[in-house]
Amino acid sequence: MARIKNRDTKPEMLLRRALWRSGIRYRVAAVTPAGRADIVVKTPRLLAVFIDGCFWHGCPQHYVRPRSRQDFWRAKLAENVSRDQRQTLALEEKGWRVIRIWEHSVHEELPDVVERIRQALSAASLSAEPDWRVTFVECIDEHRRIERRVLTSLRDPLASREMTGRRITAKWRRPRGA
Ligand SMILES: [Zn+2]
């Protein structure tokens, strides 16, 4: 499974429409030097945009540790995040700009997302933000529902941070009608 999502998902369609309205011209699912990106812009500069699902790609706000088949899901998450890291770094190394957008952001802050893309196309330089992703979650106190979450930086696989807190159960859900 190359990427765990289908083309033309709802958030992709929403973002594409918003970009088109703002005069940004793109290609869909075009090939980059590191695989396909959801949205590719070639001028005025090379930009790859990925829309990352909150569960599959370890959103710090919405990744919910599944209660069953934990080893399977743990491996899946680690594998997905490490693929995102490799892909992002490989593209940036080749002079591409890479923007990865959480699925929830497309629904909750679409104008900001469009602005971010516009910035990435026009700014002389782009600050490469760490972009934290959940890579590992374990339960440390079943009774009090406390879990330990390990996050890693998309752009620096050696950078990590840990958080301990109550189990996150609030999966992000698409707003009604969206
Ligand atoms: Zn999210």
Side-chain angles (χ1 to χ4, degrees), residues 53-120:
C54 294
F55 174 73
W56 295 103
H57 299 261
C59 171
Q61 293 171 55
H62 305 112
Y63 180 77
V64 174
R65 175 176 56 89
R67 281 194 178 277
S68 62
R69 300 178 75 205
Q70 300 212 10
D71 289 345
F72 169 81
W73 289 114
R74 188 172 287 173
K76 193 89 229 152
L77 179 64
E79 183 187 311
N80 288 349
V81 174
S82 108
R83 185 190 312 115
D84 294 345
Q85 287 170 326
R86 281 197 309 274
Q87 195 177 33
T88 301
L89 294 174
L91 282 171
E92 290 183 341
E93 206 156 281
K94 290 191 184 332
W96 284 62
R97 288 186 174 180
V98 179
I99 298 269
R100 303 200 76 112
I101 295 161
W102 290 116
E103 180 189 2
H104 74 256
S105 301
V106 174
H107 289 283
E108 290 172 2
E109 45 195 25
L110 188 54
D112 293 348
V113 170
V114 172
E115 188 48 37
R116 227 178 115 198
I117 291 172
R118 186 190 297 287
Q119 277 277 320

Side-chain angles (χ1 to χ4, degrees), residues 161-174:
R161 52 156 76 160
E162 274 193 34
M163 287 156 47
T164 298
R166 285 185 73 87
R167 169 175 163 85
I168 291 183
T169 51
K171 234 180 238 177
W172 182 78
R173 293 203 194 282
R174 180 171 302 168

Side-chain angles (χ1 to χ4, degrees), residues 28-40:
V28 175
V31 175
T32 73
R36 286 182 195 280
D38 295 322
I39 294 172
V40 169

Side-chain angles (χ1 to χ4, degrees), residues 4-29:
I4 312 192
K5 58 194 297 238
N6 302 316
R7 203 161 297 163
D8 299 338
T9 59
K10 188 77 189 187
E12 270 181 61
M13 299 298 283
L14 280 175
L15 178 56
R16 271 148 56 178
R17 230 173 286 150
L19 289 178
W20 188 263
R21 274 199 304 270
S22 350
I24 295 171
R25 296 298 175 252
Y26 53 81
R27 294 162 200 225
V28 175

